[in-house]
Amino acid sequence: MKKIIGVYRNQNMHWVGDGFPVKNLFSYDRLGQVISPFLMLDYASPYHFDATTAQHGVGSHPHRGFETVTLAYQGEVTHQDSAGGGGTIKTGDVQWMTAGAGVVHEEFHSKDYAQQGGLFEMVQIWVNLPAADKMTAPRYQAIEAKNIPVVEFENDAGHLRIIAGQYANQHGPASTFSPVNVWDGQLKAEQTQAVHVPVDHNTLLVLLEGELRVNGSQQMLDHSVMLFAQDGEALIQLEALQDTKFLVLTGKPLNEPIQGYGPFIMNTKQEIIQAFDDFNQGKFGEIPIQHQPT
């Protein structure tokens, strides 16, 4: 079984805009290359929003050099960007946006969800782009729940949704720039499941809800991330002490410098300065007025 090298938990919530109450479970500024190609994960754990006609979310802001991946567990988010991408992700859907050379986007609660109110629960992951692809053209992948293959565990113990990469001969619909797996799982209480991961990938286990015992010994609580060594092993054993909801994230490390500042993730300080210059000169474009949510 893979060696566990760290467990980190964060229960401190902060607001992103006025629509996303999140807990940051990992980030590159603390963990660096050990999580490459992943950069960050924010978890908006279940939060009740009252019905409203007001617009809640995050207004127009830029990105360059990486991808944002948003998983909708409860609630709905409408996205629009300066490259023409956009749409509403609903419960079970995934939004995969490649910022690439530069994009301006906005994320708001959908009009329907805002008017009804209810529980809101999302995950957003930042995935780094290889240096050779950082200036690629922006793109937007809208992945509906019905198009995400599901691997069912034996004895009705739970399942894995294969969003990116592959598992048990199932291939995720997301297109990626480097080898990445994003698996969204559930394991029922008192059930045990072995999960196989690529030996040459960095591997992260993110526990959103419940409680796990990992590899027969390490307890893991909700709102935690566990990191594993690249030790030639491919097996992780999960034992659910409660009903659990988790993510398995694996990726081949890029082994490239990471230089980040705010919404830009590049390889050098000069590239960050250039990103600010390009944005200030309007080179990222603008969100078409007629496409903005009303």
Side-chain angles (χ1 to χ4, degrees), residues 60-88:
S60 177
H61 61 283
H63 291 300
R64 171 180 279 183
F66 64 101
E67 302 181 287
T68 66
V69 181
T70 306
L71 285 66
Y73 290 103
Q74 300 183 79
E76 299 180 0
V77 169
T78 296
H79 163 101
Q80 300 290 343
D81 67 48
S82 57
T88 296

PDB file of all heavy atoms in Angstrom, residues 60-88:
ATOM      1  N   SER A  60     -16.866  39.570 -12.614  1.00  0.00           N
ATOM      2  CA  SER A  60     -15.825  39.459 -13.637  1.00  0.00           C
ATOM      3  C   SER A  60     -14.415  39.516 -13.049  1.00  0.00           C
ATOM      4  O   SER A  60     -14.067  40.446 -12.329  1.00  0.00           O
ATOM      5  CB  SER A  60     -16.020  40.594 -14.645  1.00  0.00           C
ATOM      6  OG  SER A  60     -15.009  40.585 -15.604  1.00  0.00           O
ATOM      7  N   HIS A  61     -13.592  38.496 -13.357  1.00  0.00           N
ATOM      8  CA  HIS A  61     -12.203  38.441 -12.886  1.00  0.00           C
ATOM      9  C   HIS A  61     -11.379  37.584 -13.848  1.00  0.00           C
ATOM     10  O   HIS A  61     -11.914  36.706 -14.521  1.00  0.00           O
ATOM     11  CB  HIS A  61     -12.119  37.891 -11.453  1.00  0.00           C
ATOM     12  CG  HIS A  61     -12.637  36.501 -11.297  1.00  0.00           C
ATOM     13  ND1 HIS A  61     -13.990  36.207 -11.254  1.00  0.00           N
ATOM     14  CD2 HIS A  61     -12.003  35.308 -11.174  1.00  0.00           C
ATOM     15  CE1 HIS A  61     -14.166  34.908 -11.101  1.00  0.00           C
ATOM     16  NE2 HIS A  61     -12.974  34.329 -11.063  1.00  0.00           N
ATOM     17  N   PRO A  62     -10.055  37.814 -13.921  1.00  0.00           N
ATOM     18  CA  PRO A  62      -9.227  37.137 -14.922  1.00  0.00           C
ATOM     19  C   PRO A  62      -8.520  35.896 -14.377  1.00  0.00           C
ATOM     20  O   PRO A  62      -8.364  35.717 -13.168  1.00  0.00           O
ATOM     21  CB  PRO A  62      -8.193  38.212 -15.261  1.00  0.00           C
ATOM     22  CG  PRO A  62      -7.966  38.909 -13.936  1.00  0.00           C
ATOM     23  CD  PRO A  62      -9.314  38.904 -13.240  1.00  0.00           C
ATOM     24  N   HIS A  63      -8.074  35.029 -15.304  1.00  0.00           N
ATOM     25  CA  HIS A  63      -7.181  33.909 -15.001  1.00  0.00           C
ATOM     26  C   HIS A  63      -6.234  33.700 -16.188  1.00  0.00           C
ATOM     27  O   HIS A  63      -6.603  33.987 -17.334  1.00  0.00           O
ATOM     28  CB  HIS A  63      -7.955  32.606 -14.773  1.00  0.00           C
ATOM     29  CG  HIS A  63      -8.766  32.574 -13.516  1.00  0.00           C
ATOM     30  ND1 HIS A  63      -8.202  32.724 -12.269  1.00  0.00           N
ATOM     31  CD2 HIS A  63     -10.098  32.388 -13.300  1.00  0.00           C
ATOM     32  CE1 HIS A  63      -9.147  32.629 -11.342  1.00  0.00           C
ATOM     33  NE2 HIS A  63     -10.315  32.442 -11.952  1.00  0.00           N
ATOM     34  N   ARG A  64      -5.061  33.166 -15.891  1.00  0.00           N
ATOM     35  CA  ARG A  64      -4.130  32.738 -16.949  1.00  0.00           C
ATOM     36  C   ARG A  64      -3.262  31.594 -16.419  1.00  0.00           C
ATOM     37  O   ARG A  64      -2.857  31.593 -15.262  1.00  0.00           O
ATOM     38  CB  ARG A  64      -3.222  33.889 -17.414  1.00  0.00           C
ATOM     39  CG  ARG A  64      -2.085  33.429 -18.350  1.00  0.00           C
ATOM     40  CD  ARG A  64      -1.196  34.562 -18.820  1.00  0.00           C
ATOM     41  NE  ARG A  64      -1.811  35.282 -19.941  1.00  0.00           N
ATOM     42  CZ  ARG A  64      -1.226  36.291 -20.593  1.00  0.00           C
ATOM     43  NH1 ARG A  64      -0.024  36.722 -20.217  1.00  0.00           N
ATOM     44  NH2 ARG A  64      -1.836  36.878 -21.609  1.00  0.00           N
ATOM     45  N   GLY A  65      -2.997  30.609 -17.269  1.00  0.00           N
ATOM     46  CA  GLY A  65      -1.954  29.625 -16.995  1.00  0.00           C
ATOM     47  C   GLY A  65      -2.398  28.330 -16.349  1.00  0.00           C
ATOM     48  O   GLY A  65      -1.563  27.468 -16.090  1.00  0.00           O
ATOM     49  N   PHE A  66      -3.715  28.152 -16.101  1.00  0.00           N
ATOM     50  CA  PHE A  66      -4.172  26.933 -15.436  1.00  0.00           C
ATOM     51  C   PHE A  66      -5.635  26.671 -15.797  1.00  0.00           C
ATOM     52  O   PHE A  66      -6.211  27.367 -16.645  1.00  0.00           O
ATOM     53  CB  PHE A  66      -3.984  27.026 -13.918  1.00  0.00           C
ATOM     54  CG  PHE A  66      -4.807  28.097 -13.252  1.00  0.00           C
ATOM     55  CD1 PHE A  66      -5.972  27.781 -12.585  1.00  0.00           C
ATOM     56  CD2 PHE A  66      -4.403  29.429 -13.285  1.00  0.00           C
ATOM     57  CE1 PHE A  66      -6.736  28.756 -11.964  1.00  0.00           C
ATOM     58  CE2 PHE A  66      -5.158  30.413 -12.674  1.00  0.00           C
ATOM     59  CZ  PHE A  66      -6.328  30.077 -12.015  1.00  0.00           C
ATOM     60  N   GLU A  67      -6.221  25.657 -15.160  1.00  0.00           N
ATOM     61  CA  GLU A  67      -7.610  25.305 -15.410  1.00  0.00           C
ATOM     62  C   GLU A  67      -8.390  25.303 -14.103  1.00  0.00           C
ATOM     63  O   GLU A  67      -7.846  24.960 -13.050  1.00  0.00           O
ATOM     64  CB  GLU A  67      -7.703  23.917 -16.056  1.00  0.00           C
ATOM     65  CG  GLU A  67      -6.931  23.823 -17.367  1.00  0.00           C
ATOM     66  CD  GLU A  67      -7.050  22.458 -18.009  1.00  0.00           C
ATOM     67  OE1 GLU A  67      -6.434  21.496 -17.492  1.00  0.00           O
ATOM     68  OE2 GLU A  67      -7.752  22.347 -19.037  1.00  0.00           O
ATOM     69  N   THR A  68      -9.662  25.667 -14.170  1.00  0.00           N
ATOM     70  CA  THR A  68     -10.548  25.550 -13.011  1.00  0.00           C
ATOM     71  C   THR A  68     -11.555  24.441 -13.278  1.00  0.00           C
ATOM     72  O   THR A  68     -12.131  24.353 -14.365  1.00  0.00           O
ATOM     73  CB  THR A  68     -11.304  26.865 -12.711  1.00  0.00           C
ATOM     74  OG1 THR A  68     -12.213  27.152 -13.774  1.00  0.00           O
ATOM     75  CG2 THR A  68     -10.329  28.025 -12.540  1.00  0.00           C
ATOM     76  N   VAL A  69     -11.751  23.589 -12.279  1.00  0.00           N
ATOM     77  CA  VAL A  69     -12.676  22.461 -12.387  1.00  0.00           C
ATOM     78  C   VAL A  69     -13.688  22.585 -11.255  1.00  0.00           C
ATOM     79  O   VAL A  69     -13.309  22.566 -10.076  1.00  0.00           O
ATOM     80  CB  VAL A  69     -11.925  21.122 -12.290  1.00  0.00           C
ATOM     81  CG1 VAL A  69     -12.910  19.954 -12.440  1.00  0.00           C
ATOM     82  CG2 VAL A  69     -10.821  21.033 -13.339  1.00  0.00           C
ATOM     83  N   THR A  70     -14.953  22.721 -11.590  1.00  0.00           N
ATOM     84  CA  THR A  70     -16.001  22.917 -10.595  1.00  0.00           C
ATOM     85  C   THR A  70     -16.963  21.743 -10.610  1.00  0.00           C
ATOM     86  O   THR A  70     -17.518  21.405 -11.657  1.00  0.00           O
ATOM     87  CB  THR A  70     -16.763  24.229 -10.854  1.00  0.00           C
ATOM     88  OG1 THR A  70     -15.829  25.317 -10.931  1.00  0.00           O
ATOM     89  CG2 THR A  70     -17.761  24.507  -9.739  1.00  0.00           C
ATOM     90  N   LEU A  71     -17.140  21.114  -9.443  1.00  0.00           N
ATOM     91  CA  LEU A  71     -18.062  19.996  -9.278  1.00  0.00           C
ATOM     92  C   LEU A  71     -19.264  20.496  -8.482  1.00  0.00           C
ATOM     93  O   LEU A  71     -19.109  21.045  -7.384  1.00  0.00           O
ATOM     94  CB  LEU A  71     -17.412  18.840  -8.513  1.00  0.00           C
ATOM     95  CG  LEU A  71     -16.383  17.948  -9.201  1.00  0.00           C
ATOM     96  CD1 LEU A  71     -15.119  18.717  -9.557  1.00  0.00           C
ATOM     97  CD2 LEU A  71     -16.023  16.779  -8.301  1.00  0.00           C
ATOM     98  N   ALA A  72     -20.444  20.293  -9.036  1.00  0.00           N
ATOM     99  CA  ALA A  72     -21.670  20.727  -8.369  1.00  0.00           C
ATOM    100  C   ALA A  72     -22.309  19.545  -7.653  1.00  0.00           C
ATOM    101  O   ALA A  72     -22.741  18.586  -8.287  1.00  0.00           O
ATOM    102  CB  ALA A  72     -22.639  21.320  -9.377  1.00  0.00           C
ATOM    103  N   TYR A  73     -22.363  19.605  -6.320  1.00  0.00           N
ATOM    104  CA  TYR A  73     -23.032  18.571  -5.533  1.00  0.00           C
ATOM    105  C   TYR A  73     -24.472  18.961  -5.217  1.00  0.00           C
ATOM    106  O   TYR A  73     -25.371  18.126  -5.264  1.00  0.00           O
ATOM    107  CB  TYR A  73     -22.265  18.313  -4.238  1.00  0.00           C
ATOM    108  CG  TYR A  73     -20.934  17.615  -4.448  1.00  0.00           C
ATOM    109  CD1 TYR A  73     -19.744  18.316  -4.385  1.00  0.00           C
ATOM    110  CD2 TYR A  73     -20.886  16.252  -4.723  1.00  0.00           C
ATOM    111  CE1 TYR A  73     -18.525  17.675  -4.576  1.00  0.00           C
ATOM    112  CE2 TYR A  73     -19.678  15.602  -4.911  1.00  0.00           C
ATOM    113  CZ  TYR A  73     -18.494  16.323  -4.841  1.00  0.00           C
ATOM    114  OH  TYR A  73     -17.298  15.689  -5.042  1.00  0.00           O
ATOM    115  N   GLN A  74     -24.670  20.230  -4.879  1.00  0.00           N
ATOM    116  CA  GLN A  74     -26.018  20.751  -4.639  1.00  0.00           C
ATOM    117  C   GLN A  74     -26.026  22.207  -5.093  1.00  0.00           C
ATOM    118  O   GLN A  74     -25.054  22.931  -4.886  1.00  0.00           O
ATOM    119  CB  GLN A  74     -26.404  20.672  -3.157  1.00  0.00           C
ATOM    120  CG  GLN A  74     -26.408  19.258  -2.584  1.00  0.00           C
ATOM    121  CD  GLN A  74     -26.857  19.226  -1.130  1.00  0.00           C
ATOM    122  OE1 GLN A  74     -28.044  19.281  -0.830  1.00  0.00           O
ATOM    123  NE2 GLN A  74     -25.907  19.119  -0.214  1.00  0.00           N
ATOM    124  N   GLY A  75     -27.140  22.633  -5.683  1.00  0.00           N
ATOM    125  CA  GLY A  75     -27.221  23.995  -6.174  1.00  0.00           C
ATOM    126  C   GLY A  75     -26.807  24.086  -7.635  1.00  0.00           C
ATOM    127  O   GLY A  75     -26.483  23.086  -8.282  1.00  0.00           O
ATOM    128  N   GLU A  76     -26.805  25.308  -8.158  1.00  0.00           N
ATOM    129  CA  GLU A  76     -26.486  25.538  -9.563  1.00  0.00           C
ATOM    130  C   GLU A  76     -25.634  26.793  -9.708  1.00  0.00           C
ATOM    131  O   GLU A  76     -25.837  27.776  -8.991  1.00  0.00           O
ATOM    132  CB  GLU A  76     -27.767  25.712 -10.390  1.00  0.00           C
ATOM    133  CG  GLU A  76     -28.689  24.503 -10.381  1.00  0.00           C
ATOM    134  CD  GLU A  76     -29.939  24.721 -11.214  1.00  0.00           C
ATOM    135  OE1 GLU A  76     -30.101  25.821 -11.808  1.00  0.00           O
ATOM    136  OE2 GLU A  76     -30.756  23.791 -11.282  1.00  0.00           O
ATOM    137  N   VAL A  77     -24.704  26.750 -10.678  1.00  0.00           N
ATOM    138  CA  VAL A  77     -23.845  27.895 -10.959  1.00  0.00           C
ATOM    139  C   VAL A  77     -23.868  28.191 -12.459  1.00  0.00           C
ATOM    140  O   VAL A  77     -23.739  27.274 -13.280  1.00  0.00           O
ATOM    141  CB  VAL A  77     -22.392  27.641 -10.510  1.00  0.00           C
ATOM    142  CG1 VAL A  77     -21.456  28.727 -11.048  1.00  0.00           C
ATOM    143  CG2 VAL A  77     -22.304  27.599  -8.993  1.00  0.00           C
ATOM    144  N   THR A  78     -24.046  29.450 -12.800  1.00  0.00           N
ATOM    145  CA  THR A  78     -24.003  29.892 -14.191  1.00  0.00           C
ATOM    146  C   THR A  78     -22.684  30.600 -14.447  1.00  0.00           C
ATOM    147  O   THR A  78     -22.276  31.481 -13.679  1.00  0.00           O
ATOM    148  CB  THR A  78     -25.184  30.832 -14.504  1.00  0.00           C
ATOM    149  OG1 THR A  78     -26.403  30.097 -14.369  1.00  0.00           O
ATOM    150  CG2 THR A  78     -25.092  31.378 -15.913  1.00  0.00           C
ATOM    151  N   HIS A  79     -22.029  30.192 -15.518  1.00  0.00           N
ATOM    152  CA  HIS A  79     -20.696  30.695 -15.877  1.00  0.00           C
ATOM    153  C   HIS A  79     -20.779  31.404 -17.231  1.00  0.00           C
ATOM    154  O   HIS A  79     -21.464  30.952 -18.138  1.00  0.00           O
ATOM    155  CB  HIS A  79     -19.730  29.505 -15.966  1.00  0.00           C
ATOM    156  CG  HIS A  79     -18.454  29.797 -16.693  1.00  0.00           C
ATOM    157  ND1 HIS A  79     -17.266  30.055 -16.046  1.00  0.00           N
ATOM    158  CD2 HIS A  79     -18.152  29.863 -18.018  1.00  0.00           C
ATOM    159  CE1 HIS A  79     -16.313  30.267 -16.927  1.00  0.00           C
ATOM    160  NE2 HIS A  79     -16.829  30.156 -18.139  1.00  0.00           N
ATOM    161  N   GLN A  80     -20.041  32.518 -17.349  1.00  0.00           N
ATOM    162  CA  GLN A  80     -19.852  33.184 -18.637  1.00  0.00           C
ATOM    163  C   GLN A  80     -18.406  33.642 -18.708  1.00  0.00           C
ATOM    164  O   GLN A  80     -17.815  34.030 -17.689  1.00  0.00           O
ATOM    165  CB  GLN A  80     -20.778  34.401 -18.781  1.00  0.00           C
ATOM    166  CG  GLN A  80     -22.264  34.084 -18.700  1.00  0.00           C
ATOM    167  CD  GLN A  80     -22.794  33.325 -19.905  1.00  0.00           C
ATOM    168  OE1 GLN A  80     -22.151  33.292 -20.948  1.00  0.00           O
ATOM    169  NE2 GLN A  80     -23.953  32.702 -19.753  1.00  0.00           N
ATOM    170  N   ASP A  81     -17.810  33.605 -19.910  1.00  0.00           N
ATOM    171  CA  ASP A  81     -16.432  34.068 -20.021  1.00  0.00           C
ATOM    172  C   ASP A  81     -16.185  34.806 -21.325  1.00  0.00           C
ATOM    173  O   ASP A  81     -17.011  34.790 -22.245  1.00  0.00           O
ATOM    174  CB  ASP A  81     -15.431  32.918 -19.828  1.00  0.00           C
ATOM    175  CG  ASP A  81     -15.465  31.874 -20.932  1.00  0.00           C
ATOM    176  OD1 ASP A  81     -15.444  32.248 -22.113  1.00  0.00           O
ATOM    177  OD2 ASP A  81     -15.482  30.667 -20.605  1.00  0.00           O
ATOM    178  N   SER A  82     -15.020  35.450 -21.390  1.00  0.00           N
ATOM    179  CA  SER A  82     -14.675  36.312 -22.517  1.00  0.00           C
ATOM    180  C   SER A  82     -14.309  35.535 -23.768  1.00  0.00           C
ATOM    181  O   SER A  82     -14.159  36.112 -24.841  1.00  0.00           O
ATOM    182  CB  SER A  82     -13.519  37.233 -22.125  1.00  0.00           C
ATOM    183  OG  SER A  82     -12.390  36.463 -21.701  1.00  0.00           O
ATOM    184  N   ALA A  83     -14.155  34.219 -23.662  1.00  0.00           N
ATOM    185  CA  ALA A  83     -13.854  33.390 -24.840  1.00  0.00           C
ATOM    186  C   ALA A  83     -15.123  32.807 -25.448  1.00  0.00           C
ATOM    187  O   ALA A  83     -15.061  32.000 -26.384  1.00  0.00           O
ATOM    188  CB  ALA A  83     -12.894  32.267 -24.452  1.00  0.00           C
ATOM    189  N   GLY A  84     -16.262  33.171 -24.894  1.00  0.00           N
ATOM    190  CA  GLY A  84     -17.526  32.680 -25.427  1.00  0.00           C
ATOM    191  C   GLY A  84     -18.050  31.446 -24.730  1.00  0.00           C
ATOM    192  O   GLY A  84     -19.117  30.940 -25.078  1.00  0.00           O
ATOM    193  N   GLY A  85     -17.326  30.943 -23.737  1.00  0.00           N
ATOM    194  CA  GLY A  85     -17.787  29.783 -22.990  1.00  0.00           C
ATOM    195  C   GLY A  85     -18.843  30.170 -21.980  1.00  0.00           C
ATOM    196  O   GLY A  85     -18.889  31.315 -21.516  1.00  0.00           O
ATOM    197  N   GLY A  86     -19.680  29.202 -21.654  1.00  0.00           N
ATOM    198  CA  GLY A  86     -20.682  29.499 -20.647  1.00  0.00           C
ATOM    199  C   GLY A  86     -21.737  28.431 -20.561  1.00  0.00           C
ATOM    200  O   GLY A  86     -21.853  27.556 -21.423  1.00  0.00           O
ATOM    201  N   GLY A  87     -22.473  28.507 -19.484  1.00  0.00           N
ATOM    202  CA  GLY A  87     -23.551  27.559 -19.254  1.00  0.00           C
ATOM    203  C   GLY A  87     -23.828  27.440 -17.773  1.00  0.00           C
ATOM    204  O   GLY A  87     -23.150  28.054 -16.941  1.00  0.00           O
ATOM    205  N   THR A  88     -24.846  26.647 -17.452  1.00  0.00           N
ATOM    206  CA  THR A  88     -25.229  26.420 -16.060  1.00  0.00           C
ATOM    207  C   THR A  88     -24.941  24.973 -15.690  1.00  0.00           C
ATOM    208  O   THR A  88     -25.361  24.056 -16.404  1.00  0.00           O
ATOM    209  CB  THR A  88     -26.715  26.719 -15.852  1.00  0.00           C
ATOM    210  OG1 THR A  88     -26.942  28.117 -16.095  1.00  0.00           O
ATOM    211  CG2 THR A  88     -27.150  26.393 -14.431  1.00  0.00           C
TER     212      THR A  88
END
